[in-house]
Amino acid sequence: MSADTEHLYIRPRGLLRGAVLTLVFAGVLATAAATGSLPRQDAGGDPAAASTRAGQRPPADAPVDRAALNRAAASAMADGKSGKQAAEEFVSRSGDRWGAVYDKKEYAEFEQALDGAYTGVGLSAGRAGGNRVRVTRVQSGGPAERAGLRAGDRLVSVDGRPVDGLSVSEVVALLRGDGVPGSVVSLRVERGRAAWTRTLHRARLATDPVTVRRLDDGTLLIRVAAFTKGAGTRVRDAVRDAPAGAGVLLDLRGNAGGLVAEAAVAASAFLDGGLVATYDVEGEQRAVYAEGGGDTDRPLVALIDGGTMSAAELLTGALQDRGRAVTVGSRTFGKGAVQMPSALPDGSVAELTVGHYRTPAGHAVDGRGITPDLAAGERAEERAKTVLSGLGGGS
């Protein structure tokens, strides 16, 4: 499976700026990159974001004693040990299945990622032929493209270190290095029988999480890979600019999450205001709403799968529960824990579960996912087009 390697460690921003709640959702990071976020506070005081994290579906969450966690980290530091490691061990024992601890460097990367940017060389890589690593995508205009790299090239080494047998996360770490624009990285590459080494300078690059395309039958295909900053507006603008009567195929497959605020803006493209989701924070009920003025008549089908999670599940649940879209594909991942970030003595941050969110109809998502209206496997997109045509949105 390929992975957008330089986007692997995307996490929430703004966690060190006060008690900002985080809707934390998980993605599978074994061999694929997952993008996500967690809520931060907007001007109106409502949390709005989400994050993804590697994980499966263990037993129910248990509350974590924050004071005890801080004492454990402080005690380890006083003994000359790692406060972060002590915190990780504490959270692991706590029973909080989605709890995790991140260091300062990771959060600096998260700041960039949620703004739709990252520092790297502009390539994605994945496994091919056993332990070998191959380039799966080269970003247009990035350092890798300028150096002549192409999709299909074999990545042999990074800064002299062989990458065969390394995990995707380890390759990510080598490619990103210190994360400083302008820093140098040396890549050894093979293409057929040819092999060469290129020295690249890392750069700050923009991501493009939303792609819009008109299909032959007039359908507007909108694929959202992640709800990073500006993604919701891209969706809304695409719908507003679409010809009258053109149906929309909203592809959320593999969307590992993003900012809840962006998902709400995307929902606003199809809803005339109203509820998008509710969530509780230590017993206090809160809600996320769409803006008014959306296109409520245009035929809409949403494509989902097991890689649809976090803010993408929040959007899916809103469109499905409110009868605005027909959902096609397979059951979504199922992650909807509300978490509170806690700063630790060494500057790292622990994310601890304090509640969960629900769809407008009150359905819990965490550990359950969302079941599509029409189950479909490999031919999901074809079936979705058929459904959209039946709704009057395609030929």
Side-chain angles (χ1 to χ4, degrees), residues 14-342:
L15 297 188
L16 303 181
R17 300 175 186 168
V20 183
L21 294 174
T22 43
L23 296 176
V24 179
F25 309 91
V28 178
L29 303 183
T31 57
T35 302
S37 66
L38 46 105
R40 56 187 175 192
Q41 211 154 12
D42 62 15
D46 292 325
S51 87
T52 57
R53 164 155 61 260
Q56 298 176 358
R57 296 176 181 164
D61 302 313
V64 177
D65 185 331
R66 291 186 181 80
L69 173 63
N70 274 273
R71 287 195 299 271
S75 176
M77 293 173 64
D79 292 338
K81 300 177 182 178
S82 168
K84 177 177 181 289
Q85 183 176 347
E88 288 174 333
E89 294 173 353
F90 187 98
V91 172
S92 178
R93 294 192 302 267
S94 72
D96 185 342
R97 58 178 174 173
W98 303 121
V101 182
Y102 305 102
D103 62 29
K104 292 180 180 179
K105 181 179 178 182
E106 289 172 329
Y107 271 86
E109 295 172 352
F110 306 158
E111 287 283 341
Q112 289 189 48
L114 288 182
D115 281 335
Y118 69 103
T119 298
V121 297
L123 67 79
S124 301
R127 294 291 173 200
N131 290 327
R132 294 189 172 190
V133 176
R134 292 197 180 278
V135 176
T136 58
R137 184 180 65 85
V138 176
Q139 184 169 339
S140 177
E145 184 189 57
R146 292 196 298 271
L149 273 68
R150 302 176 188 170
D153 289 345
R154 179 191 171 196
L155 186 60
V156 179
S157 67
V158 178
D159 283 335
R161 179 177 178 182
V163 297
D164 286 356
L166 295 184
S167 67
V168 170
S169 61
E170 289 174 314
V171 176
V172 170
L174 293 174
L175 288 170
R176 294 187 64 89
D178 55 12
V180 177
S183 59
V184 175
V185 60
S186 176
L187 306 184
R188 180 70 176 174
V189 178
E190 288 184 0
R191 183 184 302 158
R193 296 183 178 180
W196 66 95
T197 299
R198 289 285 187 272
T199 299
L200 286 66
H201 290 81
R202 296 182 180 93
R204 183 175 171 84
L205 303 169
T207 60
D208 188 10
V210 180
T211 56
V212 181
R213 182 163 60 94
R214 288 290 301 279
L215 304 182
D216 293 340
D217 63 359
T219 296
L220 187 69
L221 174 62
I222 304 176
R223 171 163 172 69
V224 187
F227 284 107
T228 53
K229 186 176 181 180
T233 299
R234 287 281 306 279
V235 172
R236 186 177 58 191
D237 290 347
V239 174
R240 287 178 176 175
D241 294 341
V248 172
L249 189 59
L250 182 63
D251 191 350
L252 300 175
R253 293 174 297 179
N255 184 320
L259 297 168
V260 170
E262 297 296 335
V265 173
S268 301
F270 307 104
L271 300 172
D272 188 13
L275 188 64
V276 173
T278 60
Y279 60 97
D280 63 278
V281 178
E282 297 179 333
E284 181 182 351
Q285 296 297 311
R286 304 186 183 184
V288 178
Y289 294 94
E291 298 176 2
D295 189 332
T296 59
D297 297 322
R298 190 181 300 276
L300 174 64
V301 172
L303 273 165
I304 58 176
D305 65 7
T308 304
M309 57 188 82
S310 83
E313 287 180 290
L314 184 143
L315 173 60
T316 300
L319 297 177
Q320 184 184 63
D321 280 6
R322 295 184 58 182
R324 182 60 189 89
V326 176
T327 54
V328 177
S330 55
R331 187 169 66 92
T332 62
F333 183 83
K335 184 66 180 77
V338 180
Q339 295 189 311
M340 176 74 76
S342 294

